[in-house]
Amino acid sequence: MTAEDDVRSAVAAAREYADRFGEPDADELARIRADLVAAGVGVPEPPADAAARAAALARLLA
């Protein structure tokens, strides 16, 4: 699965959610966006974090 597939899946899930439950109000949408920013969504992984994750994975697979 590619990153583009992930995005398509997320967009489809968001559309399904909106169809089922309606769109969030402006305040709720602002909170959601702030939560995503705080979680680092859409921000590249810092090189140190990527290296630490790769090293941990290598230890698990050794």
Side-chain angles (χ1 to χ4, degrees):
M1 183 176 258
T2 67
E4 291 82 13
D5 293 332
D6 287 342
V7 170
R8 278 192 283 279
S9 176
V11 168
R15 282 190 191 124
E16 180 182 341
Y17 180 91
D19 289 346
R20 214 177 260 185
F21 302 107
E23 294 290 337
D25 64 33
D27 290 338
E28 183 181 10
L29 188 55
R31 282 192 304 276
I32 291 167
R33 288 184 173 146
D35 288 347
L36 291 172
V37 169
V41 172
V43 177
E45 183 178 26
D49 290 355
R53 182 177 43 74
L57 183 59
R59 285 192 303 275
L60 288 171
L61 297 175

